[in-house]
Amino acid sequence: MTGVLLRAARVTRRFGAFTAVDDVSMQVQPGEVVGLLGANGAGKTTLIRLLLGLIAVTSGRVDLLGGPPDRERRRRLGYVPQGLGLYGDLTVRENLSFSAQAYGAAVPALPPALAPHADVLVRALPLGAQRQVAFLAALAHSPQVLVLDEPTSGVDALARAALWDTIRAQAEQAAGVLVTTHYMQEAQQCDRLLLMSGGRLVAQGSEADIIGSTTAVAVRTEDWARAFAALNAAGAPVMLEGRAIRVADADPAGLAEVLKAAGIQASLQPVPATIEERMLMLSRQARAS
């Protein structure tokens, strides 16, 4: 299979005076997993709804499988929304049967972990099991495009790993996958990343491409709470990892002066930046522009 499966070309969506998606261009190719990252309110879910034709663009163009996202093209799509798209008052078996009939597909077999719950109402299942059901429903008709909006949110590490095995398996079968996530470890499993902030696409490429030469400063001190407060008050982009303080794209000498003025002793060491720190810097830049 060749060609672009999912495309946005200079897409903008406004709700009154509010611009939720601002001049975004992106695409998903067969066999690749594209991660769509950004803070809450960055515009990720709105962009997905535009790509799927669930809401209309204000300007620009979206294409699904070579044309506008009409009902026929959406039949070749697998979609797991944040709300999972399941019916809580139907059983697991009934949900899968309904979804399969809608797509003209065979009802998928339940994996061993779900088989004992076949006749349990979906709303009575734990969240991890509900997500497994949503994945089964989305994949039953062998979609060419898979769109997943926070598919692993709220599930444990083992369940997340299993769902990502499923995602990679779909890409290996030439499906194109667009997935949003808040977990930076999951971003590392994507072939390419798209970073949104304030409705704009502020960076794209591999993790290494996006981080580039950005560095951070690791601040080590016993008085970490006061150090964090002092640096934050000075406008530094500080982050906490446990009790370890990191400051993205900062001058160690300037940070040392802030800490000295606050009477805090600390050691400072330049370190490579993480994708999360680069995202923080890009978000700050986007808000300032």
Side-chain angles (χ1 to χ4, degrees):
M1 187 190 305
T2 59
V4 177
L5 300 179
L6 197 59
R7 185 200 310 270
R10 305 204 66 176
V11 167
T12 294
R13 171 67 197 202
R14 298 187 183 92
F15 296 94
F18 174 66
T19 301
V21 173
D22 188 1
D23 196 25
V24 169
S25 296
M26 51 73 67
Q27 63 184 33
V28 178
Q29 302 273 359
E32 70 171 347
V33 179
V34 177
L36 182 59
L37 309 182
N40 290 333
K44 305 186 300 297
T45 296
T46 302
L47 176 60
I48 284 176
R49 291 174 62 81
L50 291 166
L51 289 167
L52 302 187
L54 301 178
I55 55 175
V57 301
T58 302
S59 62
R61 177 183 173 87
V62 296
D63 289 304
L64 170 65
L65 295 163
D70 56 20
R71 179 173 297 183
E72 184 58 34
R73 289 186 175 88
R74 284 200 295 263
R75 289 176 64 85
R76 296 145 65 192
L77 164 80
Y79 176 40
V80 179
Q82 285 188 19
L84 300 182
L86 301 173
Y87 295 92
D89 54 353
L90 297 182
T91 67
V92 169
R93 194 194 311 273
E94 289 167 341
N95 266 279
L96 294 176
S97 177
F98 177 81
S99 177
Q101 288 180 40
Y103 285 103
V107 179
L110 288 173
L114 284 178
H117 307 296
D119 297 312
V120 175
L121 295 181
V122 160
R123 66 172 177 239
L125 294 176
L127 181 56
Q130 290 185 32
R131 292 200 179 280
Q132 291 180 57
V133 176
F135 263 65
L136 281 174
L139 299 176
H141 58 295
S142 302
Q144 293 173 258
V145 180
L146 188 59
V147 177
L148 310 169
D149 197 359
E150 302 287 349
T152 63
S153 178
V155 301
D156 62 42
L158 286 177
R160 288 205 307 271
L163 292 175
W164 269 95
D165 284 344
T166 301
I167 292 170
R168 293 303 323 181
Q170 295 305 303
E172 289 167 5
Q173 295 174 30
V177 183
L178 179 65
V179 55
T180 72
T181 179
H182 281 304
Y183 298 105
M184 293 304 104
Q185 309 96 302
E186 293 183 359
Q188 297 171 354
Q189 301 194 52
C190 298
D191 301 308
R192 191 158 50 83
L193 300 174
L194 308 172
L195 268 58
M196 289 190 71
S197 178
R200 302 177 191 171
L201 188 63
V202 295
Q204 59 182 308
S206 68
E207 181 180 14
D209 291 337
I210 292 171
I211 293 174
S213 59
T214 304
T215 59
V217 177
V219 180
R220 296 177 175 85
T221 175
E222 294 292 326
D223 203 356
W224 60 271
R226 283 184 59 229
F228 182 90
L231 293 171
N232 187 55
V238 291
M239 301 183 73
L240 273 179
E241 290 183 349
R243 296 184 178 183
I245 298 171
R246 293 174 61 99
V247 188
D249 197 29
D251 172 27
L255 299 181
E257 285 297 321
V258 171
L259 295 172
K260 182 179 179 181
I264 299 169
Q265 292 186 339
S267 64
L268 292 85
Q269 180 182 5
V271 294
T274 64
I275 185 67
E276 191 170 12
E277 287 164 339
R278 181 58 177 154
M279 286 175 60
L280 175 62
M281 293 306 304
L282 290 168
S283 295
R284 288 167 66 100
Q285 292 167 13
R287 289 195 298 268
S289 63

